[in-house]
Amino acid sequence: MDDIRDAVLSGLRSPEAFAALPVPDHYRAVTVHRDEVDLFEGVAHRDKDPRKSLHIEEVPVPELGPGEALVAVMASSVNFNTVWSSIFEPFPTFRFLERYGRTSPLARRHDLPYHVLGSDLAGVVLRTGPGVQAWKPGDEVVAHCLSVELEHPDGHDDTLLDPEQRIWGFETNFGGLAELAVVKSNQLMPKSAHLTWEEAAAPGLVHSTAYRQLVSRNGAGMKLGDVVLIWGAGGGLGSYATQLALASGATPVCVVSGPDKAEICREMGAELVIDRSSETGEGYRFWRDEETQDPSEWKRLGARIRELTDGRDPDIVFEHPGRETFGASVYVARRGGTVVTCASTSGYRHEFDNRYLWMHLKRIVGSHFANYRESWQANELVRRGIVHPTLSRTYRLEDAAQAVHDVHRNVHRGKVGVLALAPDEGLGVTDAELRARHLSAINRFRLG
Ligand code: NAP
C-alpha cells in the first residue's frame, strides 16, 4: 500500500504509471461482522456503542467487475448510515448484502461475513474494469454513493427509481472507510482541485442528498425568497441545506440544539436561528409522552418562526429527525407549502394531524440521496466554490469507530472526516490559486 500512497503523494498521475502499480492482496478497512449482529440485544438505542462493533482489519481486495473502478482512498467521511450499520438498526445491513448477492454471480462478491462500510471517498483511480471509458488510472476523484443496475425501464427517467438501486457502503460492500474501495464508474466525479483530501471527501453524501431534497425538481424545488425551516442545521445534512438555501436567495430558519451550533449557523451566514434545547433555548416538547403529541408546542414553534420572519410561514420544511418533529413540521409549513423528508432519525412511525395537511393543501415529498446528474451538479457547486465543506474534525482510519460514536451521540458538528491513505491533513490541493481565492470562505465553513 506504501507504493500507492507514495505515487499519489508524489503528484504522479500518468495513467500508465498508475496502471503499473501493483495492487496488494489485502487492504485495511472499517467493518462490521455478521456473527456479531446480536451484540447489542437488550441495549438501549443511545447506549449501543459503535466502538464495540466496528473493526479495523485487513480484508482481501475483491475482483473488479465490468463497469467498476478500484480507487485508492485518501480520505473518507462519516455518515449517519454508518451509525445505523454499526448498531445494527433498524436491522443488520447483512440483509442488504444477502439480497444483493442473490441478484447475480458478480453481486455475490458482496455477500461476505464482513461488511466494509462508508459512503464517501476522495482518492485516485487505480484500476478500471472492462467497459469503463470515462475514467482512467491516475484520475483524482470523489464518488457519490448511488449504485444502480439500470436493467429495468423504471430507472431510466430518474435512477433513484431503479428497483436495483442501492447505497454504496451501506447496502453494498467495499465502501469508502478503507484504503481501497470498489465503485461503479458511474459513481465517479472529479475531485475539487482547491480542496484537501479530507475536505473533498466531506460534502458527498449529505450535500447531494440536500441538493435533491431542496433544489431539484425531484424534491422541493426551492426558489428565490422561499422561507426554509432546516432541522439540525449544524449537522451533516443541515449544514449543506443551509448553504444551498443561502446560495439560492432563500431564507433559512435554522433549528439547532445549543449556542455553539447556533453560532455555526450564523458563521455560515444564516440570520434566523432557533435553539431547540431545553437548557439554553426554547425547549420544545412536541410529545407529552410516548403516545401523545402536544399541538400547543407546534403552535409555539410556529409563532417563533413568524416572529423571526415577519409573519411568514415556511415554504419548505427540510425534515429528517422524523417522529419527534414531523407533527410540528406539517403544522408549521405554510398553506401550499412542502415538507420534504429523507430520514427518521428519532423514529420512522410518524404522526401528524392530517387536517393541517389537506385543508391547507400542503405536500409531503419523500426524497432519497440523489441521482448521478444531481450529485454531479452538487459536486460542481463545490468545485466552483459556491458550497464549501463543513468539516469539523478529522480522525485516522484506526480511530474511525470513535468518529462514528461521536456522530451517534450528536456531539459532532457538520461533517467528521477520516484519513485513509493520506498520512496527514492538509494534503491533496492541486490548484493553490483557486484555494487562495476561496480561502476565507473555506475557513469560515470549517466547523472545527
Ligand atoms: P447528523 O450530522 O447527526 O445531523 C442531524 C442533526 O439533526 C443533528 O445534528 C441534530 O441537530 C438534529 N437532530 C437529531 N435528532 C433530533 C431530534 N430528535 N429533533 C430535532 N433535531 C434532531 O446527521 P445527518 O448526516 O444530517 O443525517 C440525519 C439523518 O438523515 C440520519 O438519520 C441519516 O441516516 C439520514 N440521511 C438520509 C439520507 C438519504 O439519502 N435518505 C442521506 C443523508 C442522511 P441539533 O441537535 O443541533 O438540533
Side-chain angles (χ1 to χ4, degrees):
M1 212 56 82
D2 287 349
D3 291 351
I4 295 172
R5 180 190 287 109
D6 291 348
V8 174
L9 294 177
S10 71
L12 182 84
R13 290 296 178 272
S14 104
E16 295 75 27
F18 261 83
L21 285 171
V23 173
D25 296 339
H26 286 76
Y27 65 109
R28 277 191 320 149
V30 178
T31 62
V32 281
H33 289 181
R34 191 196 296 270
D35 61 4
E36 291 181 351
V37 298
D38 297 329
L39 194 65
F40 298 127
E41 241 175 36
V43 179
H45 166 84
R46 193 184 146 75
D47 298 329
K48 294 178 182 173
D49 188 340
R51 293 170 299 189
K52 294 190 175 145
S53 56
L54 291 173
H55 301 267
I56 317 294
E57 62 181 333
E58 293 276 336
V59 296
V61 176
E63 206 181 306
L64 207 55
E68 293 181 339
L70 182 70
V71 181
V73 182
M74 299 305 286
S76 181
S77 82
V78 175
N79 286 296
F80 213 91
N81 64 7
T82 295
V83 174
W84 296 124
S85 300
S86 69
I87 61 175
F88 309 111
E89 281 192 18
F91 47 75
T93 40
F94 289 97
R95 261 207 231 172
F96 296 133
L97 305 185
E98 284 157 24
R99 205 176 302 153
Y100 189 24
R102 284 197 293 270
T103 62
S104 74
L106 199 61
R108 204 168 300 140
R109 285 172 307 162
H110 291 256
D111 186 11
L112 293 167
Y114 58 87
H115 186 179
V116 180
L117 306 173
S119 300
D120 273 319
L121 68 74
V124 178
V125 175
L126 266 185
R127 293 281 191 277
T128 53
V132 177
Q133 306 295 336
W135 303 94
K136 55 187 185 324
D139 286 342
E140 297 197 355
V141 292
V142 290
H144 74 77
C145 65
L146 185 69
S147 164
V148 286
E149 308 300 323
L150 289 180
E151 290 191 307
H152 194 279
D154 282 359
H156 283 261
D157 184 17
D158 174 10
T159 48
L160 257 307
L161 298 178
D162 184 8
E164 296 298 331
Q165 160 265 310
R166 293 180 175 81
I167 298 299
W168 159 70
F170 179 61
E171 294 165 294
T172 78
N173 218 321
F174 319 129
L177 285 166
E179 292 173 328
L180 298 176
V182 175
V183 297
K184 293 186 189 268
S185 66
N186 58 15
Q187 290 176 244
L188 295 174
M189 306 187 293
K191 171 191 171 283
S192 301
H194 66 296
L195 298 181
T196 64
W197 295 113
E198 65 279 7
E199 288 168 350
L205 183 150
V206 283
H207 176 36
S208 299
T209 305
Y211 182 91
R212 180 179 172 106
Q213 218 176 328
L214 280 185
V215 181
S216 167
R217 64 186 157 85
N218 290 316
M222 177 173 62
K223 59 187 189 317
L224 188 70
D226 278 352
V227 171
V228 185
L229 184 76
I230 300 173
W231 291 106
L237 282 171
S239 57
Y240 293 91
T242 302
Q243 292 192 64
L244 290 170
L246 288 167
S248 307
T251 304
V253 179
C254 296
V255 186
V256 292
S257 61
D260 60 330
K261 287 194 184 170
E263 193 46 40
I264 284 173
C265 298
R266 294 202 180 89
E267 277 284 302
M268 288 193 286
E271 289 171 2
L272 314 181
V273 185
I274 298 175
D275 179 352
R276 72 179 175 95
S277 93
S278 42
E279 292 80 36
T280 55
E282 308 288 332
Y284 298 110
R285 287 197 51 175
F286 300 128
W287 290 82
R288 284 197 190 106
D289 55 50
E290 290 279 292
E291 305 299 327
T292 331
Q293 295 204 60
D294 181 353
S296 71
E297 286 291 271
W298 304 345
K299 290 180 185 162
R300 191 158 75 86
L301 172 67
R304 178 76 186 119
I305 295 168
R306 284 184 180 175
E307 207 179 307
L308 293 172
T309 60
D310 289 333
R312 299 188 54 206
D313 296 328
D315 299 275
I316 300 169
V317 180
F318 183 82
E319 244 297 334
H320 51 90
R323 182 171 174 83
E324 213 156 298
T325 55
F326 205 82
S329 294
V330 170
Y331 176 80
V332 300
R334 77 156 171 81
R335 273 175 190 268
T338 303
V339 177
V340 61
T341 174
C342 76
S344 292
T345 313
S346 64
Y348 53 80
R349 292 189 193 281
H350 297 184
E351 271 179 35
F352 59 90
D353 185 334
N354 200 34
R355 290 170 299 177
Y356 293 113
L357 190 84
W358 100 72
M359 298 287 281
H360 295 175
L361 302 129
K362 304 180 188 187
R363 297 186 310 149
I364 295 172
V365 174
S367 189
H368 187 43
F369 188 58
N371 61 37
Y372 194 8
R373 174 90 179 128
E374 290 160 340
S375 298
W376 190 282
Q377 286 170 319
N379 189 50
E380 284 304 297
L381 296 179
V382 178
R383 291 206 327 139
R384 291 165 60 192
I386 295 169
V387 166
H388 303 282
T390 58
L391 193 63
S392 56
R393 189 162 173 194
T394 302
Y395 292 77
R396 302 199 167 276
L397 195 62
E398 47 272 29
D399 300 323
Q402 180 64 42
V404 178
H405 170 268
D406 291 356
V407 174
H408 179 33
R409 285 297 178 94
N410 193 21
V411 294
H412 68 301
R413 301 143 163 226
K415 287 289 302 185
V416 174
V418 175
L419 296 178
L421 286 173
D424 287 305
E425 294 180 48
L427 304 170
V429 175
T430 50
D431 189 337
E433 203 181 306
L434 189 61
R435 186 171 180 87
R437 220 180 309 147
H438 293 303
L439 196 58
S440 68
I442 291 171
N443 288 337
R444 191 155 55 84
F445 284 91
R446 210 172 168 106
L447 305 183

